[in-house]
Amino acid sequence: MINVAMIGFGGIAQSHKNAHLKFEAAGREKLVAVCDITPEQFTKRIKINLETGKETLGGDFKTYTNLEEMLSNEKIDLIDICIPSYLHADMAVAMLERGYNVLSEKPMALCSEDCRRIIDARNKSGKQLMIGQCLRFYGEYQYLKKIVSEETYGKVTSVLFQRLSALPKWSWNNWYQDFSKSGSVICDMQIHDLDMARYLFGEPEYVECRASTKNVKYDLAHVNLGYDFPLTSIGDWTLNGTKFTQMYRVGFEKANVVMENGKITVYPNDCSAPYEPEWTKVGGIEAEIDYYLDIIESGKQNQKNPAESAAETIRLVEAAYESADNGGIRIPFKNK
C-alpha cells in the first residue's frame, strides 16, 4: 500500500484527489493527508475558473496548513505537488532530498536550470519522479499517437493544436496573472500541445513564436514548430467570458482527423462520409497516477513521460519566449 500526501488543494488538485480516492478504494494506495496554507481551500468546491459552493472532502484524509507538521505526523511514500508553478522546482527538490517519491504538476519548472536541479535531486535520492504532462495519457491523444505511429491514414501532412480560454482570475493571489510566476499561456496551457508535438513527432528543428499581450505578457501565442510538415499551436487566454476549449486537426495523406472537446471525427480524403472512429475514453490525470503507482510498485523505468522529456519541453517553451521576444524570429532547437 502506497501512502500518498498532497501539497496544494486548489483547482487541479481536485482532479488529483478524486483519482487518489479511486485508487484508494481499489486498495492500491491510501491518501493519508493534504496540506494547503489556506484553510479555506478545504471548504470550497473548486473547479478550474469556477467556484461552486461548499466542498465535501469525500475521504478520511487529514488536512494540514503546516507542511512540516504533516511530514512529521504522517507516514508518506509519495508526495503529489499541486501548488503554483513558480513553486514547483523548490518543492520537488526539497521532497526528493527528504526521501519521497514525487509527482509534480506541470510545468516541471519555469526554466531549464531548475529542471536540471530537480533531475539532479532525483538522481541523488534514488526515488521516482514524474511530471504531470497529463495529455500523454488522455484517450483522445492516445488515439492520435496510435494513428500517427501506425500510419492508419498515411503520413502526417499538417497539424493544428488549439487551447483557448478566459484569463484565469481565480488563482491564489492571482499568481496566474504574473508572468514571472506562471509563464503565461505558453508555459501554463499551451505547454500541453508543445509537449504533445514532441511526444508524437520528436524534436523540431526550430521554433517560431509570435505573441501578443492583452492582460498578461504573452497571453496569446502562435507557435510554429519545424517539422517536415506545417505544425502550429495556438494558445489563447484572452477569450474572456468563454469556457475552455481544446482541439487538434491533423492532416494525413488519406484523411483529416479532428478532435474538438473530446469528440473525434475522421474526414476521409476520398469524399466519403465523415465518421467517428472507435477509441477508448480515458481521463488523463487518473491514467497518469495509475501509471505512476505502477512505476513505484514495480520499480520500472518511466517510458511514457520521463522527467528528462518534461525538461526538454521547458527548453522548447524557452525557445518560444526567445522567438517572441525577437519578433517571431526562427530559433534553432533540435541541435541547439
Side-chain angles (χ1 to χ4, degrees), residues 3-43:
N3 286 347
V4 179
M6 296 176 59
I7 303 176
F9 206 57
I12 198 63
Q14 307 309 308
S15 296
H16 284 239
K17 176 201 74 173
N18 292 338
H20 288 307
L21 293 178
K22 176 178 179 178
F23 295 122
E24 179 177 311
R28 295 189 63 197
E29 65 158 90
K30 172 67 176 176
L31 180 59
V32 296
V34 174
C35 181
D36 196 290
I37 62 172
T38 307
E40 291 79 13
Q41 295 294 85
F42 301 126
T43 60

Coordinates of all heavy atoms in Angstrom, one line a residue, residues 3-43:
N3 N 1.3 5.1 0.6 CA 0.7 6.2 1.3 C 1.0 7.5 0.6 O 2.2 7.8 0.3 CB 1.3 6.3 2.7 CG 0.7 5.3 3.6 OD1 -0.3 4.6 3.3 ND2 1.3 5.1 4.8
V4 N 0.0 8.3 0.2 CA 0.1 9.5 -0.6 C -0.3 10.7 0.2 O -1.3 10.7 1.0 CB -0.8 9.4 -1.8 CG1 -0.7 10.6 -2.7 CG2 -0.4 8.2 -2.7
A5 N 0.4 11.8 0.1 CA 0.0 13.1 0.6 C 0.1 14.1 -0.5 O 1.0 14.1 -1.4 CB 1.0 13.5 1.8
M6 N -0.8 15.1 -0.5 CA -0.8 16.1 -1.5 C -0.4 17.4 -0.8 O -0.8 17.7 0.3 CB -2.3 16.3 -2.0 CG -2.7 15.0 -2.8 SD -4.5 15.2 -3.4 CE -4.3 16.7 -4.4
I7 N 0.3 18.2 -1.6 CA 0.7 19.6 -1.2 C 0.0 20.5 -2.2 O 0.3 20.5 -3.4 CB 2.2 19.8 -1.2 CG1 2.9 18.8 -0.3 CG2 2.5 21.2 -0.8 CD1 4.4 18.9 -0.3
G8 N -0.9 21.3 -1.7 CA -1.7 22.2 -2.5 C -3.1 21.6 -2.8 O -3.2 20.4 -3.1
F9 N -4.2 22.4 -2.6 CA -5.5 21.9 -2.7 C -6.4 22.8 -3.5 O -7.6 23.1 -3.2 CB -6.1 21.6 -1.4 CG -7.2 20.6 -1.3 CD1 -6.9 19.3 -1.8 CD2 -8.4 20.8 -0.8 CE1 -7.9 18.3 -1.7 CE2 -9.4 19.9 -0.8 CZ -9.2 18.6 -1.2
G10 N -5.8 23.4 -4.6 CA -6.6 24.3 -5.5 C -7.3 23.6 -6.6 O -7.7 22.4 -6.4
G11 N -7.4 24.3 -7.7 CA -8.3 23.7 -8.8 C -7.9 22.4 -9.3 O -8.6 21.4 -9.3
I12 N -6.6 22.3 -9.8 CA -6.2 21.0 -10.4 C -6.1 19.9 -9.4 O -6.2 18.7 -9.7 CB -4.8 21.2 -11.1 CG1 -4.6 20.0 -12.1 CG2 -3.7 21.3 -10.2 CD1 -5.6 20.0 -13.3
A13 N -5.9 20.3 -8.1 CA -5.7 19.3 -7.1 C -7.0 18.5 -6.9 O -7.0 17.3 -6.4 CB -5.3 19.9 -5.8
Q14 N -8.2 19.0 -7.2 CA -9.4 18.3 -7.1 C -9.4 17.0 -7.9 O -9.9 16.0 -7.5 CB -10.6 19.2 -7.3 CG -10.6 20.5 -6.6 CD -10.4 20.3 -5.1 OE1 -11.1 19.5 -4.4 NE2 -9.4 21.0 -4.5
S15 N -8.9 17.2 -9.2 CA -8.9 16.0 -10.1 C -7.9 15.0 -9.5 O -8.1 13.8 -9.6 CB -8.5 16.4 -11.5 OG -9.5 17.3 -12.0
H16 N -6.8 15.5 -9.0 CA -5.8 14.5 -8.4 C -6.4 13.8 -7.2 O -6.3 12.6 -7.0 CB -4.6 15.3 -7.9 CG -3.6 15.7 -9.0 ND1 -2.3 15.3 -9.1 CD2 -3.8 16.5 -10.1 CE1 -1.8 15.8 -10.2 NE2 -2.7 16.5 -10.8
K17 N -7.1 14.6 -6.4 CA -7.7 14.0 -5.2 C -8.7 12.9 -5.6 O -8.7 11.8 -5.0 CB -8.5 15.0 -4.4 CG -9.3 14.5 -3.2 CD -10.4 15.4 -2.7 CE -11.5 15.4 -3.7 NZ -12.7 16.2 -3.2
N18 N -9.6 13.2 -6.6 CA -10.6 12.2 -7.0 C -9.9 10.9 -7.5 O -10.4 9.8 -7.3 CB -11.5 12.8 -8.1 CG -12.4 13.9 -7.5 OD1 -12.6 13.9 -6.3 ND2 -12.8 14.8 -8.4
A19 N -8.8 11.1 -8.2 CA -8.1 9.9 -8.7 C -7.5 9.1 -7.6 O -7.6 7.8 -7.5 CB -7.0 10.3 -9.7
H20 N -6.9 9.8 -6.6 CA -6.3 9.1 -5.5 C -7.4 8.3 -4.7 O -7.1 7.2 -4.3 CB -5.6 10.1 -4.5 CG -4.3 10.7 -5.1 ND1 -3.3 9.9 -5.5 CD2 -3.9 11.9 -5.2 CE1 -2.3 10.6 -5.9 NE2 -2.6 11.9 -5.8
L21 N -8.5 8.9 -4.5 CA -9.6 8.2 -3.8 C -10.1 7.0 -4.6 O -10.5 6.0 -3.9 CB -10.7 9.2 -3.5 CG -10.4 10.3 -2.5 CD1 -11.6 11.2 -2.3 CD2 -9.9 9.7 -1.2
K22 N -10.1 7.1 -5.9 CA -10.5 5.9 -6.7 C -9.5 4.8 -6.5 O -9.9 3.6 -6.3 CB -10.6 6.3 -8.1 CG -10.9 5.1 -9.0 CD -11.0 5.5 -10.5 CE -11.3 4.2 -11.4 NZ -11.4 4.6 -12.8
F23 N -8.2 5.1 -6.5 CA -7.2 4.0 -6.3 C -7.1 3.6 -4.9 O -6.8 2.4 -4.6 CB -5.8 4.5 -6.8 CG -5.8 4.7 -8.3 CD1 -5.5 6.0 -8.9 CD2 -6.2 3.7 -9.2 CE1 -5.5 6.2 -10.2 CE2 -6.2 3.9 -10.6 CZ -5.9 5.2 -11.1
E24 N -7.5 4.4 -4.0 CA -7.6 4.0 -2.6 C -8.7 3.0 -2.4 O -8.5 1.9 -1.7 CB -7.9 5.2 -1.7 CG -8.1 4.9 -0.2 CD -8.3 6.1 0.7 OE1 -7.5 7.1 0.5 OE2 -9.2 6.1 1.5
A25 N -9.9 3.2 -3.1 CA -11.0 2.3 -3.0 C -10.6 0.9 -3.6 O -11.1 -0.1 -3.2 CB -12.2 2.9 -3.7
A26 N -9.7 1.0 -4.6 CA -9.2 -0.3 -5.2 C -8.1 -1.0 -4.4 O -7.6 -2.0 -4.9 CB -8.7 0.0 -6.6
G27 N -7.7 -0.4 -3.3 CA -6.6 -1.0 -2.5 C -5.2 -0.8 -2.9 O -4.3 -1.4 -2.4
R28 N -5.0 0.2 -3.8 CA -3.6 0.4 -4.4 C -2.9 1.5 -3.6 O -1.6 1.5 -3.6 CB -3.7 0.8 -5.8 CG -4.2 -0.3 -6.7 CD -4.1 0.0 -8.2 NE -2.7 0.2 -8.5 CZ -2.2 0.8 -9.6 NH1 -3.1 1.4 -10.4 NH2 -0.9 0.9 -9.9
E29 N -3.6 2.4 -2.9 CA -2.9 3.4 -2.2 C -3.8 3.9 -1.1 O -5.0 3.5 -1.0 CB -2.6 4.6 -3.2 CG -3.9 5.3 -3.7 CD -3.6 6.7 -4.1 OE1 -3.3 6.9 -5.3 OE2 -3.8 7.7 -3.3
K30 N -3.3 4.8 -0.3 CA -4.0 5.5 0.8 C -3.7 6.9 0.7 O -2.5 7.3 0.9 CB -3.7 4.9 2.1 CG -4.3 5.6 3.3 CD -5.8 5.5 3.4 CE -6.4 6.2 4.6 NZ -7.9 6.2 4.6
L31 N -4.7 7.8 0.5 CA -4.5 9.2 0.6 C -4.6 9.6 2.1 O -5.7 9.7 2.6 CB -5.5 10.0 -0.2 CG -5.4 11.5 -0.2 CD1 -4.1 12.0 -0.8 CD2 -6.6 12.1 -1.0
V32 N -3.4 9.8 2.7 CA -3.4 10.0 4.1 C -3.6 11.4 4.5 O -4.1 11.7 5.6 CB -2.1 9.4 4.7 CG1 -2.0 7.9 4.5 CG2 -0.9 10.1 4.1
A33 N -3.1 12.4 3.7 CA -3.2 13.8 4.1 C -3.1 14.7 2.9 O -2.6 14.4 1.9 CB -2.1 14.1 5.1
V34 N -3.6 16.0 3.2 CA -3.5 17.1 2.2 C -3.1 18.3 3.0 O -3.6 18.6 4.1 CB -4.8 17.3 1.5 CG1 -4.7 18.5 0.6 CG2 -5.3 16.1 0.7
C35 N -2.2 19.1 2.4 CA -1.7 20.3 3.0 C -1.9 21.5 2.1 O -1.6 21.4 0.9 CB -0.2 20.2 3.4 SG 0.5 21.7 4.2
D36 N -2.5 22.5 2.7 CA -2.6 23.8 1.9 C -2.5 24.9 3.0 O -3.1 24.8 4.1 CB -3.9 23.9 1.2 CG -4.0 25.0 0.2 OD1 -3.9 26.2 0.5 OD2 -3.9 24.7 -1.0
I37 N -1.7 26.0 2.6 CA -1.5 27.1 3.6 C -2.8 27.9 3.8 O -2.9 28.6 4.8 CB -0.4 28.0 3.1 CG1 -0.7 28.7 1.8 CG2 0.9 27.2 3.0 CD1 0.3 29.7 1.4
T38 N -3.8 27.7 2.9 CA -5.0 28.5 3.1 C -6.1 27.5 3.5 O -6.6 26.7 2.7 CB -5.4 29.1 1.7 OG1 -4.4 29.9 1.2 CG2 -6.7 30.0 1.9
P39 N -6.6 27.6 4.8 CA -7.6 26.6 5.3 C -8.9 26.6 4.5 O -9.6 25.6 4.5 CB -7.7 27.0 6.8 CG -7.2 28.4 6.9 CD -6.1 28.5 5.9
E40 N -9.2 27.8 3.9 CA -10.5 27.9 3.2 C -10.5 26.9 2.0 O -11.6 26.6 1.5 CB -10.7 29.3 2.7 CG -11.0 30.3 3.8 CD -9.8 30.8 4.6 OE1 -8.6 30.5 4.1 OE2 -9.9 31.4 5.7
Q41 N -9.3 26.5 1.5 CA -9.3 25.6 0.4 C -10.0 24.3 0.7 O -10.5 23.6 -0.2 CB -7.9 25.3 0.0 CG -7.1 26.5 -0.6 CD -7.7 27.0 -1.9 OE1 -8.7 27.8 -1.9 NE2 -7.2 26.5 -3.0
F42 N -10.1 23.9 2.0 CA -10.7 22.7 2.4 C -12.2 22.7 2.5 O -12.9 21.7 2.6 CB -10.1 22.2 3.7 CG -8.6 22.0 3.7 CD1 -7.9 22.6 4.7 CD2 -8.0 21.2 2.8 CE1 -6.5 22.5 4.7 CE2 -6.7 21.0 2.8 CZ -5.9 21.7 3.7
T43 N -12.8 23.9 2.3 CA -14.2 24.1 2.4 C -14.8 24.6 1.1 O -16.1 24.7 1.1 CB -14.6 25.0 3.6 OG1 -14.0 26.3 3.4 CG2 -14.1 24.4 4.9

